[in-house]
Amino acid sequence: AHFTTLNMEVMPCESLFLGRECMLGGEVTDSVISAYAQGGFSPSVDDISPDHIGVELAYMGWLVGAELEATDDNEPKIAARCVELQRQFLDNHLLRWLGAMVASVEETKDDTDHGIYYIYALRAAHKLAVDHLKLISPRDLSTEGVWSLPETGELLTKENTGLREIAQFLVTPSHAGAFISRAHIQALGRAGNLPRGFGPRRQILTTLLRTGVDYSQIDEVVTGLTSLFGGWQAELRKQDCAHNGPWIGRIEETMGILGQMGSAIREDV
C-alpha cells in the first residue's frame, strides 16, 4: 500500500507539487537543499529526492532537537535561531504543499488497513506542522496573500491548445491546483467504460479526453474531473490551514476552465 500510494500514485516530493513542470529536482529542490544547509542538516539522499516528505519532516525534527539542546546548554541565541529556521521552513516549504499532498492521497488511498494508516499518518503530520507554526509564530494569517502558485496564463485562449496541452495542464499540480494520479484517471475511464491506455499521466489523460469525445461522453468526463477537483477543494478547506489558500483559489480557476472545456475540446477535434 505504501509503495502504490506514495510512489506509483502520489509521489510525496515538494518539486512535483510546486514546480512549474511537475518534475523532480530543479529550483524547488535546490531551495530545499539550501534551507537544509542553513540548519546544518546533511541527510543521506542517495535513494530518495532531498525534497521528499520524509526528509523534510526529518529536517524539522533536526531543528527541534537542536533547539532543545541549545536550551539545555543555556544558549538562547542558538535556540532562537533554530526556532526561526523552523518558522522559515514551515512557511516557505513544508506547509506550502503538505496540505495539497494530504488531499491527493485522501482521494487515492485504498481501503486496506495500510492505506488508512498512511492517510492518518499524513493528516497527523500536517496538523502537527500547522499547530507548531502557530506555537512558534503566533500571528493572524489570512487565506490569501501568504504565498502564490506560478502564473499559468489563459489556457483555452491559446491558439495551440489541444487535448495534449489540456491534459498537461491538469496533471501539473502547480497549474491545476491538485495532483491527479493514474488511479484517478483510470477510475474516470472505468466509470464510462472508456479506453485510456497506458503510460505517463498526461498520456492516459489525453487518451481519456479523446475517447470521451469519440464516444460522446466528454461531458461525463468533464463532470467527473470537476467532481474530483471539488473534492480536493473541500478537503483543503477542511484542513483549516492558511497556506492552502493558493491551492483553493487555483482549483476554483481550474473548475472554471473545466466548465468551458467541453466546447474547447470539440473545436480541437
Side-chain angles (χ1 to χ4, degrees):
H2 172 272
F3 181 81
T4 298
T5 301
L6 297 183
N7 286 277
M8 294 296 292
E9 297 298 341
V10 184
M11 188 174 289
C13 296
E14 183 176 331
S15 52
L16 295 181
F17 279 80
L18 298 182
R20 291 179 179 273
E21 305 299 329
C22 191
M23 296 177 63
L24 288 173
E27 293 181 0
V28 173
T29 303
D30 289 344
S31 180
V32 172
I33 294 172
S34 177
Y36 294 162
Q38 291 182 54
F41 184 60
S42 302
S44 176
V45 290
D46 293 337
D47 300 319
I48 195 172
S49 179
D51 61 339
H52 187 281
I53 182 63
V55 185
E56 293 201 2
L57 290 174
Y59 177 53
M60 285 299 302
W62 167 276
L63 290 175
V64 171
E67 176 199 348
L68 292 176
E69 287 185 10
T71 300
D72 290 342
D73 293 340
N74 195 27
E75 295 284 357
K77 290 184 178 179
I78 296 177
R81 174 60 176 163
C82 291
V83 171
E84 175 59 17
L85 289 174
Q86 292 168 42
R87 184 200 64 75
Q88 290 178 10
F89 195 73
L90 288 168
D91 258 342
N92 300 329
H93 292 283
L94 193 57
L95 285 177
R96 292 191 179 190
W97 71 284
L98 183 53
M101 191 195 78
V102 171
S104 295
V105 173
E106 178 78 43
E107 294 295 320
T108 306
K109 73 179 189 299
D110 56 45
D111 292 326
T112 65
D113 290 341
H114 290 296
I116 294 172
Y117 167 79
Y118 289 124
I119 189 58
Y120 282 168
L122 287 171
R123 283 179 188 162
H126 182 252
K127 188 174 190 312
L128 183 62
V130 171
D131 290 346
H132 189 63
L133 181 60
K134 291 178 180 177
L135 178 66
I136 64 175
S137 182
R139 64 197 194 278
D140 184 20
L141 290 173
S142 67
T143 56
E144 297 181 2
V146 179
W147 62 285
S148 60
L149 287 164
E151 294 297 324
T152 61
E154 297 295 328
L155 176 70
L156 298 183
T157 62
K158 298 177 181 178
E159 292 184 1
N160 64 340
T161 296
L163 298 176
R164 184 185 181 91
E165 289 72 30
I166 290 172
Q168 181 63 59
F169 175 88
L170 290 173
V171 300
T172 304
S174 65
H175 291 174
F179 193 105
I180 297 182
S181 69
R182 289 180 178 83
H184 296 134
I185 302 169
Q186 296 290 1
L188 287 172
R190 285 194 299 272
N193 197 28
L194 292 171
R196 53 269 183 200
F198 303 94
R201 293 178 302 126
R202 180 183 67 179
Q203 182 175 326
I204 59 176
L205 182 54
T206 301
T207 300
L208 178 63
L209 293 172
R210 186 169 296 281
T211 55
V213 173
D214 293 343
Y215 287 75
S216 300
Q217 292 190 48
I218 189 59
D219 289 338
E220 288 81 357
V221 173
V222 169
T223 297
L225 286 167
T226 302
S227 178
L228 271 176
F229 279 95
W232 285 317
Q233 188 182 58
E235 173 63 25
L236 288 165
R237 292 186 188 279
K238 187 168 63 176
Q239 291 173 6
D240 192 27
C241 173
H243 290 74
N244 288 350
W247 293 104
I248 293 170
R250 184 56 53 86
I251 289 176
E252 193 70 32
E253 295 172 8
T254 297
M255 290 196 293
I257 290 174
L258 287 169
Q260 308 170 49
M261 189 171 291
S263 59
I265 292 175
R266 292 189 184 94
E267 290 177 5
D268 180 68
V269 297

